[in-house]
Amino acid sequence: MAKMKLDFNEKAFRREIEKQTRGALQDETRKMQREMDQFTSQHAGLPVEQIKPALKQMWERDGGSLTDPELTEYAEIISEGGQINFQLGDYRW
């Protein structure tokens, strides 16, 4: 049986995975921002108690969750015509 030696450059592998992961996270952040912008434009000026269930439903659709204080805070911003911005932070894997 022939033996084969495999050299593995872990550093290069990690760099490539991080590059691919960052690209996917940036894509998801842009998608979420588009959805939130559309939601905000449709719900601006509505009462907070009307926005909260719709915002909760939108958030949970993709597996997310918000606490009631977070829902209230975001609904108040939307009700007042403000904007919620998503920003990709630092991450380590």
Side-chain angles (χ1 to χ4, degrees):
M1 183 181 335
K3 290 187 177 186
M4 185 170 95
K5 182 179 178 185
L6 176 64
D7 288 326
F8 182 72
N9 185 335
E10 184 176 349
K11 203 174 198 177
F13 177 74
R14 282 185 176 273
R15 273 194 310 267
E16 185 59 29
I17 292 296
E18 287 179 10
K19 182 172 116 183
Q20 295 295 323
T21 302
R22 184 157 231 6
L25 289 171
Q26 287 171 333
D27 290 346
E28 185 63 21
T29 301
R30 283 190 290 273
K31 176 184 162 263
M32 290 173 59
Q33 187 65 59
R34 281 191 305 272
E35 289 175 4
M36 182 56 76
D37 290 347
Q38 182 179 12
F39 183 91
T40 299
S41 70
Q42 293 172 346
H43 293 81
L46 296 177
V48 169
E49 293 308 315
Q50 190 175 341
I51 295 170
K52 284 174 65 173
L55 181 59
K56 183 176 193 237
Q57 182 181 21
M58 182 191 83
W59 206 260
E60 289 176 345
R61 186 177 52 232
D62 291 326
S65 65
L66 292 171
T67 65
D68 191 64
E70 289 171 325
L71 278 169
T72 300
E73 177 184 354
Y74 299 155
E76 287 172 351
I77 292 169
I78 293 166
S79 179
E80 295 168 1
Q83 187 174 9
I84 296 172
N85 295 306
F86 294 103
Q87 183 176 340
L88 181 60
D90 292 333
Y91 68 94
R92 295 200 50 74
W93 83 298

